[in-house]
């Protein structure tokens, strides 16, 4: 218990250009999700969660609808997922998830971000074994035992459950995402999820201090500025004033 999680760090959408980047990333992710799992959110729980998340991040409905309509057509862009791993400033561990239609370009772009910030990109598996790949659901509630019982009845391999300040947070293997979400909806009706996603959670944290703090933030900002990058995860522990 008491296991904290942190949402992915995204560049703040303060400018029209930054907002366009955020919309583009959601549009691409929704398109790929709908293309692979079906365009009906009621039958594709991953898509449903993604749409809810996009709305919370104030992505316009026309961006969401356009991505789904695009997925309904034949052909279209052929995006594939790619994951890059390495060590950032202060020897912290970094995982970068991408959706790309040109893996060679994307790898070059991501490697450039690492190189320009005195970081080191590695091969797949370099640091991911030090993270847990988890499905995470957080929602208002206090009856931890009822939640655990509902999940166990659905044969969900629950990793952890937190109950704190009127919020319950469930951790499960990423492979149980759809099963866990359906079990929660079946047991408790329409829940308002504060968190509904799959993340890489670090098993340990690495303090990043001094000059490495600015370099780390530069790395994260550069990665988030790349169109192909969807999520950036890390185990850096920054000074509170950073």
């Amino acid at each position: 218990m008491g296991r904290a999680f942190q949402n992915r760090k995204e560049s703040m959408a303060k400018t029209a250009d930054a907002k366009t980047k955020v919309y583009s990333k959601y549009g691409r992710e929704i398109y790929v999700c709908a293309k692979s799992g079906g365009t009906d959110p009621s039958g594709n729980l991953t898509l449903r969660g993604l749409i809810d998340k996009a709305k919370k991040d104030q992505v316009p409905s026309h961006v969401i609808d356009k991505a789904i309509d695009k997925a309904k057509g034949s052909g279209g862009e052929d995006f594939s997922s790619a994951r890059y791993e390495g060590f950032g400033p202060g020897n912290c561990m970094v995982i970068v998830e991408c959706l790309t239609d040109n893996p060679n370009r994307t790898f070059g772009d991501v490697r450039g971000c690492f190189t320009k910030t005195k970081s080191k990109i590695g091969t797949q598996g370099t640091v991911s074994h030090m993270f847990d790949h988890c499905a995470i659901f957080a929602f208002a509630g206090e009856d931890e035992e009822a939640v655990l019982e509902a999940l166990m009845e659905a044969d969900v391999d629950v990793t952890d459950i937190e109950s704190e300040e009127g919020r319950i947070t469930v951790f499960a293997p990423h492979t149980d995402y759809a099963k866990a979400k359906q079990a929660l909806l079946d047991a408790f009706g329409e829940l308002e999820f504060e968190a509904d996603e799959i993340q890489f959670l670090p098993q340990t944290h690495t303090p990043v201090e001094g000059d490495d703090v600015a370099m780390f933030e530069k790395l994260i900002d550069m990665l988030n500025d790349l169109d192909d990058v969807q999520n950036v995860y890390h185990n850096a522990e920054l000074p509170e004033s950073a």
Side-chain angles (χ1 to χ4, degrees), residues 6-241:
Q6 178 181 352
N7 286 327
R8 67 187 184 192
K9 175 178 168 61
E10 289 185 355
S11 298
M12 294 296 289
K14 292 180 180 177
T15 66
D17 183 56
K19 285 182 180 179
T20 299
K21 285 183 182 296
V22 172
Y23 299 165
S24 174
K25 288 181 181 184
Y26 268 114
R28 185 178 298 195
E29 199 170 351
I30 289 169
Y31 166 78
V32 171
C33 182
K35 193 82 173 173
S36 61
T39 57
D40 182 3
S42 62
N44 183 346
L45 289 181
T46 305
L47 177 62
R48 180 174 167 182
L50 196 52
I51 291 172
D52 289 343
K53 191 173 169 187
K55 288 179 177 177
K56 285 179 183 176
D57 282 351
Q58 299 182 328
V59 176
S61 295
H62 70 84
V63 173
I64 297 170
D65 294 341
K66 183 179 178 181
I68 293 174
D69 288 342
K70 193 174 176 183
K72 290 177 181 177
S74 59
E77 293 158 297
D78 186 18
F79 289 108
S80 59
S81 59
R83 189 167 76 229
Y84 306 104
E85 308 174 24
F87 294 92
N91 212 35
C92 67
M93 294 182 283
V94 180
I95 296 176
V96 185
E97 286 187 330
C98 303
L99 286 174
T100 177
D101 57 357
N102 187 332
N104 290 333
R105 179 199 66 222
T106 303
F107 174 70
D109 290 345
V110 172
R111 181 177 58 186
C113 295
F114 275 80
T115 302
K116 291 172 185 175
T117 54
K118 299 179 182 178
S119 305
K120 186 186 297 183
I121 195 167
T123 57
Q124 193 160 345
T126 299
V127 302
S128 58
H129 65 284
M130 294 298 295
F131 288 73
D132 293 324
H133 202 190
C134 295
I136 304 169
F137 303 94
F139 49 92
E142 296 180 351
D143 195 342
E144 190 177 328
E145 290 188 8
V147 173
L148 180 60
E149 184 179 340
L151 291 167
M152 290 184 70
E153 283 182 1
D155 199 28
V156 174
D157 185 14
V158 180
T159 307
D160 199 359
I161 294 184
E162 291 178 358
S163 179
E164 188 176 6
E165 297 179 354
R167 184 178 78 169
I168 290 178
T169 307
V170 173
F171 300 88
H174 70 99
T175 49
D176 278 4
Y177 170 86
K179 187 162 61 171
K181 183 169 185 177
Q182 190 62 60
L184 291 171
L185 293 173
D186 288 346
F188 305 105
E190 287 299 317
L191 290 171
E192 182 71 28
F193 290 103
E194 294 176 37
D196 169 11
E197 56 195 304
I198 293 173
Q199 286 191 28
F200 280 95
L201 297 181
Q203 297 166 4
T204 61
H205 289 85
T206 300
V208 175
E209 300 170 326
D211 294 341
D212 286 332
V213 173
M215 196 63 78
F216 169 78
E217 291 180 341
K218 180 180 178 182
L219 170 63
I220 298 298
D221 287 342
M222 287 178 68
L223 288 169
N224 279 318
D225 279 343
L226 296 178
D227 289 340
D228 295 339
V229 170
Q230 296 297 121
N231 299 298
V232 180
Y233 304 101
H234 61 79
N235 78 329
E237 191 172 75
L238 301 175
E240 287 188 12
S241 58

